[in-house]
Amino acid sequence: MPKGHMDVGSTHDPVPGFLPDGIAVKAVIDVDPDAGEITVDLRHNDDCVKAGFNQTEATARSSVMAAIYHSLGTGLPRNSGAFRCIKVLLRENSVVGIPRFPASCSIATTNVADRLVNLVQSALAGLGHDIGLAEGGLCMGVNSGVISGEDFRNGGRAYISQLTLASNGGPASAFADGWGTYGIPAASGLTYRDSVEINEIKFPMIVDHLRLVAGSAGAGAHRGGLAVETRYRVREGTMTVVTNSDGQLFAPQGVLGGQSGALGVSYFIHEDGREERMPGFGVQVIRKGQALRGTTNGGGGFGDPAKRDPALVLRDVSEMRETTERACATYQVAFTGDATAGTLAIDAERTQKLRRSNPA
């Protein structure tokens, strides 16, 4: 790795009533190839907050380790010798550090951990040499809400579970587009998505749709993974849904000219079809005739979108993963024909003119 010093920061979305300014996440990263060490200094973060976002020592350290391992490829051994090359500096009573009573760490494995993974891996991309990643999606809205209620099919038996209906788009790298089944940075593809059919059997709910959102990926030479939209409702009675979603104000960022992924969003749908925007954090009760609709984040892009292979842009537009408008304006690729008719093709001459007239 090249030698480098980076002083970087990110911001977790505000939490109404608790953290109106969100949570600043900071890291000072030093890469010393002569010593064979990467040092990540997290001691400049604010004190513990009066909510469950505080990182435990284990989650702070493991988030840094995960980000570095994500950034350096698959050949590194996962053993103590390799771990000793990574120094993580923490301080007591910090939101990203070593908490002290009575600080709560109830969601230490997500939220701020996700921001920390994204921050470190995207900073390493600034070193070049095809290392690092863009930022991955971290929205956990109604698609990942904790549902509870009483099931009319089982004599009013109580139920509670956390949904994992939809994944966020993953971060792009120097070598590949972002995963479509990424989940969140702290899990990075290790969490299985729920089966719609099994959820409808286990709980008194109906999932109306679960679909990819065209044009939601962060554009880049390699694009991020796409966002997913889900809508669901309760069959009878009421259902309580609790969400604690980041990524609805501060989107996953791209790197080295790559663009940010789409913001997450959640809506409460009234009986008459009227949609009302929901905050990322809160408790919502729905009854029969009402519904919730939510969209996850798209992942950040890696590199200049105008350097993406036009054949990949054509594939994305043909498969309705990308829009023709963004293909022209952002990727600078022109087409002939019609995607719906199956006749879409690259206009090589116009594409060359677009890319010559709009150099990076």
Side-chain angles (χ1 to χ4, degrees), residues 162-176:
Q162 180 167 13
L163 300 174
T164 311
L165 276 172
S167 289
N168 289 282
S173 74
F175 307 100

Side-chain angles (χ1 to χ4, degrees), residues 13 111 119 138 165 178 223 280 303 306 331:
D13 285 1
N111 292 77
L119 181 61
L138 32 64
L165 276 172
R223 62 161 174 79
Y331 289 103

Side-chain angles (χ1 to χ4, degrees), residues 54-273:
N54 302 294
Q55 292 287 280
T56 65
E57 181 174 358
T59 56
R61 292 186 185 279
S62 60
S63 294
V64 169
M65 303 282 275
I68 292 173
Y69 270 83
H70 293 172
S71 300
L72 299 181
T74 59
L76 292 175
R78 273 64 170 170
N79 60 28
S80 60
F83 294 163
R84 283 195 295 269
C85 296
I86 303 171
K87 310 294 184 184
V88 182
L89 306 181
L90 303 171
R91 71 175 180 87
E92 292 192 5
N93 197 40
S94 171
V95 67
V96 186
I98 304 170
R100 285 291 173 257
F101 181 83
S104 171
C105 305
S106 59
I107 51 173
T109 57
T110 57
N111 292 77
V112 174
D114 294 328
R115 286 286 172 183
L116 185 54
V117 173
N118 272 344
L119 181 61
V120 174
Q121 70 189 27
S122 62
L124 291 176
L127 295 175
H129 292 253
D130 292 338
I131 62 176
L133 295 164
E135 294 190 352
L138 32 64
C139 173
M140 294 179 65
V142 299
N143 322 81
S144 301
V146 174
I147 61 170
S148 61
E150 296 178 350
D151 192 341
F152 72 98
R153 302 168 302 174
N154 297 311
R157 180 182 299 171
Y159 66 88
I160 184 169
S161 182
Q162 180 167 13
L163 300 174
T164 311
L165 276 172
S167 289
N168 289 282
S173 74
F175 307 100
D177 294 340
W179 294 341
T181 54
Y182 180 70
I184 56 177
S188 302
L190 295 179
T191 303
Y192 287 107
R193 184 177 60 79
D194 290 352
S195 161
V196 169
E197 293 79 8
I198 290 177
N199 273 353
E200 290 180 333
I201 292 171
K202 291 175 63 178
F203 309 114
M205 66 185 301
I206 297 174
V207 179
D208 293 317
H209 65 248
L210 191 157
R211 58 196 180 198
L212 296 171
V213 180
S216 59
H222 288 103
R223 62 161 174 79
L226 275 71
V228 177
E229 181 188 270
T230 310
R231 171 183 156 132
Y232 60 86
R233 50 198 164 95
V234 65
R235 291 176 181 270
E236 296 286 348
T238 63
M239 174 185 284
T240 300
V241 182
V242 180
T243 57
N244 66 321
S245 180
D246 193 7
Q248 300 201 24
L249 182 62
F250 298 113
Q253 298 298 297
V255 296
L256 302 180
Q259 296 185 1
S260 61
L263 288 167
V265 64
S266 299
Y267 291 98
F268 175 83
I269 304 175
H270 295 266
E271 290 92 334
D272 60 3

Side-chain angles (χ1 to χ4, degrees), residues 322-352:
E322 189 53 85
T323 65
T324 54
E325 294 79 12
R326 286 218 325 165
C328 182
T330 303
Y331 289 103
Q332 299 172 23
V333 176
F335 300 107
T336 61
D338 186 345
T340 57
T343 60
L344 194 71
I346 297 168
D347 187 325
E349 183 177 351
R350 285 178 57 211
T351 296
Q352 288 178 357

